[in-house]
Amino acid sequence: MTNSTQVSYFVLSAYFDTGDLKYLFFTITLLFYIVIISVNLLLIVVICANTSLHEPMYMFLCSLFVNELFGSTALFPSLLLHILSDIQTLSAPFCLLQVFCMYAYGSVEFTNLAVMSYDRYVAICYPLQYNTHMTSAKVTLLIVVIWLPPFVAVFVTICLTASLQLCGNIINRVYCDNYSIIKLACSDTTVNNIYELIAASLTVYAPVSVILYTYMRILYVCFCGSKQTRQKAVSTCTPHLTSLVNFSFGVFFEILQSRFDMSSVPNILQITLSLYYLTCQPLLNPVMYGLNMSKIRITCKSLIYK
């Protein structure tokens, strides 16, 4: 192990020389980013501009679309720059900022999906009391719960990581991630590891537990309820479940890749899997909700035709 030094920048070593194909990759990536921004912004504007969509479910959807913009913007500008660059480096402050944004994005995604599952649970299991339960004050509080705890938890994570003494600056990824930086540490990382477990419990395991509980209750009501209740549950819960499964799939591969030796996996496959949850989720959610939710679909059509 080398002596610890003050690291001023990190080298992202997962990039490889693609020759003139880099311009093709840059164009595809840029178009992908433009589509993500366009569809998410469109739905945010549609929800905010139409008073008929100022309902709890659509407010939580709007929060989800804002998070998709936040997460994709944490990745794509840096990714586009490095595709064209001959040397892929990031300054230490910007690297930590990218880690903060990506971790916050992932945590907010889980808390947002948990709040949406709670909203569906109240709507399906207690339809007559829905308006009483989901007041404007409660919706505002839930949106604060979606964003504030993940941001605070991730901020503490970044502070702990920034305090580490590092023995290297090479990260074998196409973007910065916290665990890769921790593996470069010369100093003791016990506090970091313990805190990451606590933070994961609050921002991932707790929301997933809420989702599992609410869907168990929804399934019970569906089996005992009428055909109309089952149809309502399927129409409103299918996009949510698809989003949850897709995001969990991407996060699972990200954790698997960062924690275990993946040297036997082809480099291009490693890069694809590491980018999956940061690229597919921001596009899947607006497309899926835009197509499946009749109110949003009708409003989008009228807006486009105008």
Side-chain angles (χ1 to χ4, degrees), residues 179-230:
Y179 192 71
S180 296
I181 298 174
I182 289 175
K183 287 195 291 186
L184 297 172
C186 305
S187 52
D188 183 42
T189 60
T190 303
V191 174
N192 298 69
N193 294 329
I194 291 173
Y195 178 77
E196 281 219 349
L197 287 174
I198 296 171
S201 299
L202 293 173
T203 60
V204 178
Y205 305 138
V208 169
S209 299
V210 170
I211 293 168
L212 291 175
Y213 172 77
T214 53
Y215 271 96
M216 285 173 61
R217 297 291 300 167
I218 289 170
L219 284 173
Y220 175 77
V221 169
C222 287
F223 280 121
C224 298
S226 63
K227 183 179 179 181
Q228 185 181 2
T229 303
R230 286 193 292 272

Side-chain angles (χ1 to χ4, degrees), residues 7 10 12 91-92 94-100 103 158 160-173 175-186 189 192:
V7 172
F10 291 95
L12 304 175
S91 67
F94 190 83
C95 187
L96 290 172
L97 177 62
Q98 188 175 54
V99 172
F100 173 82
Y103 273 50
I158 299 304
L160 290 172
T161 302
S163 67
L164 292 173
Q165 292 293 319
L166 305 180
C167 292
N169 67 339
I170 298 176
I171 299 175
N172 188 30
R173 306 300 293 274
Y175 55 82
C176 291
D177 83 291
N178 194 56
Y179 192 71
S180 296
I181 298 174
I182 289 175
K183 287 195 291 186
L184 297 172
C186 305
T189 60
N192 298 69

Side-chain angles (χ1 to χ4, degrees), residues 86-155:
D86 295 325
I87 301 174
Q88 287 77 29
T89 60
L90 272 179
S91 67
F94 190 83
C95 187
L96 290 172
L97 177 62
Q98 188 175 54
V99 172
F100 173 82
C101 292
M102 289 185 177
Y103 273 50
Y105 162 71
S107 300
V108 169
E109 193 80 3
F110 276 116
T111 54
N112 209 137
L113 290 172
V115 168
M116 288 171 67
S117 70
Y118 170 74
D119 175 69
R120 293 300 83 209
Y121 160 70
V122 176
I124 293 168
C125 298
Y126 304 99
L128 299 179
Q129 293 85 31
Y130 180 76
N131 291 329
T132 306
H133 280 294
M134 301 302 291
T135 61
S136 298
K138 190 168 186 178
V139 170
T140 303
L141 177 62
L142 287 172
I143 290 175
V144 172
V145 169
I146 287 171
W147 288 87
L148 186 59
F151 268 64
V152 172
V154 175
F155 179 75

Side-chain angles (χ1 to χ4, degrees), residues 252-270:
F252 171 75
F253 276 108
E254 168 61 16
I255 294 172
L256 191 71
Q257 192 167 233
S258 63
R259 262 53 173 186
F260 298 98
D261 181 21
M262 303 287 285
S263 55
S264 60
V265 179
N267 193 37
I268 188 67
L269 182 58
Q270 288 186 48

